[in-house]
Amino acid sequence: DQQVKQNSPSLSVQEGRISILNCDYTNSMFDYFLWYKKYPAEGPTFLISISSIKDKNEDGRFTVFLNKSAKHLSLHIVPSQPGDSAVYFCAASAEGANSKLTFGKGITLSVRP
Amino acid sequence: SAVISQKPSRDICQRGTSLTIQCQVDSQVTMMFWYRQQPGQSLTLIATANQGSEATYESGFVIDKFPISRPNLTFSTLTVSNMSPEDSSIYLCSVLGGVYNYGYTFGSGTRLTVV
């Protein structure tokens, strides 16, 4: 049973445009959500996170939105750059930032020059 | 954030053999974690390794198949035993504490192919 779902396996956008990566979850106990970025032959690196007490968190070009009623979160990248091309994993935990993470399958983002 | 060195980065192994993956951290950490990412799948936690105690395994993973050592606060190994092609995956070690001191920091992973 996939508790964190990233239903779109891939996304392609033009450089300079907005990238929107979606993530859905089923476990209502999740209270902390993270996005990780992964380049080939490297481990995932932390990108941005959001607590369930917020509905938006912004860090430079990256913004994460959380809709708790819909159990949905999204990562917006504006403007998209070719260096953003990577696999993006959505992850969630039920006890804050430092507890066990449940990951989605990832979305491969390609940003075209 | 912690820096993790993981090796080997990749290996091709014969079925029935075992492979030991090493993970070295540049600082002392209480907990280290081992994940598996099968092709097209999400990262799945195998076990949590605490120094001085036996590892805690997640449902579906057993010590006989994935023995873990944690001899000190900066090092851990994961062995994939009696391998079969289904064990072909990327294996990642991770520690708690990263950017802004929350979340996890990951090693670069070991890409294992069993033939």
Side-chain angles (χ1 to χ4, degrees), chain A residues 36-103:
Chain A
Y36 282 82
K37 180 170 73 173
K38 184 181 183 301
Y39 293 117
E42 295 183 11
T45 56
F46 171 78
L47 188 59
I48 193 170
S49 65
I50 188 167
S51 166
S52 60
I53 64 174
K54 295 185 176 182
D55 55 19
K56 176 183 174 181
N57 188 26
E58 188 172 354
D59 183 2
R61 296 185 297 114
F62 303 91
T63 303
V64 56
F65 295 92
L66 175 63
N67 182 335
K68 285 180 290 184
S69 60
K71 294 189 176 66
H72 176 82
L73 63 155
S74 60
L75 174 67
H76 292 212
I77 306 174
V78 181
S80 300
Q81 300 173 354
D84 296 328
S85 297
V87 178
Y88 289 79
F89 291 97
C90 173
S93 71
E95 296 175 12
N98 293 330
S99 63
K100 174 185 172 182
L101 295 181
T102 301
F103 284 85

Side-chain angles (χ1 to χ4, degrees), chain B residues 2-81:
Chain B
V3 176
I4 302 175
S5 299
Q6 185 175 340
K7 58 181 181 181
S9 59
R10 58 175 62 228
D11 207 343
I12 301 173
C13 300
Q14 297 289 325
R15 66 178 69 199
T17 63
S18 298
L19 175 72
T20 296
I21 302 167
Q22 299 180 5
C23 185
Q24 179 76 50
V25 189
D26 69 344
S27 57
Q28 293 184 341
V29 292
T30 304
M31 292 191 288
M32 296 179 74
F33 307 87
W34 287 97
Y35 284 83
R36 178 177 75 179
Q37 185 188 11
Q38 294 178 301
Q41 301 299 312
S42 60
L43 281 76
T44 302
L45 181 64
I46 298 171
T48 302
N50 293 327
Q51 195 271 335
S53 63
E54 286 202 4
T56 303
Y57 289 83
E58 297 297 309
S59 175
F61 299 96
V62 295
I63 187 172
D64 290 345
K65 176 66 176 177
F66 298 101
I68 288 172
S69 77
R70 185 77 203 278
N72 57 54
L73 290 173
T74 64
F75 187 79
S76 178
T77 67
L78 170 77
T79 299
V80 186
S81 303

